[in-house]
Amino acid sequence: MQPTIAEPPFDKQSSQKYVKKKLDEALLEALWELWYVDADKLSALTCMSKRWLEDEIFCDVRMRAIEVRKVKKRWWPAKEAREVMKEITSHW
């Protein structure tokens, strides 16, 4: 007599959602591994408008402290910018 193996039901749709969610999280983490980000990249990564970032985030002294500027272009170290933005938004 062979033992029966009970197989749990496989839900393809929920499995696909789970895999997509994990891939999105991994991709987002990989994007934050960039060295420097500009205002356009920060806007894309955070889903916040560039103007809103200018008014609420970039004017903060903590963001200004890590800002790298050359001529008219501005960059921020990606990891530091992420941490500063977390600090700023956690107080809302």
Side-chain angles (χ1 to χ4, degrees):
M1 180 171 197
Q2 288 218 334
T4 59
I5 299 174
E7 292 185 24
F10 180 74
D11 185 10
K12 185 177 181 179
Q13 187 177 13
S14 65
S15 296
Q16 286 175 339
K17 281 183 182 178
Y18 176 77
V19 169
K20 184 178 181 337
K21 179 183 171 193
K22 288 297 183 182
L23 285 173
D24 288 344
E25 289 172 2
L27 181 60
L28 186 60
E29 283 298 317
L31 286 173
W32 280 108
E33 292 298 318
L34 298 171
W35 286 359
Y36 290 95
V37 290
D38 63 0
D40 293 327
K41 180 56 80 175
L42 280 174
S43 177
L45 287 171
T46 60
C47 297
M48 298 175 188
S49 72
K50 189 174 173 184
R51 180 179 174 138
W52 193 88
L53 286 169
E54 291 284 351
D55 294 342
E56 301 292 329
I57 304 292
F58 299 154
C59 64
D60 191 283
V61 293
R62 293 168 283 187
M63 284 298 279
R64 289 199 181 267
I66 62 169
E67 182 178 283
V68 177
R69 189 179 279 257
K70 176 141 181 166
V71 187
K72 293 183 179 182
K73 188 70 176 165
R74 297 178 301 171
W75 299 276
W76 295 268
K79 287 183 180 182
E80 289 88 343
R82 181 180 185 187
E83 293 304 315
V84 170
M85 290 178 72
K86 279 184 183 178
E87 290 175 18
I88 294 169
T89 56
S90 68
H91 297 295
W92 293 343

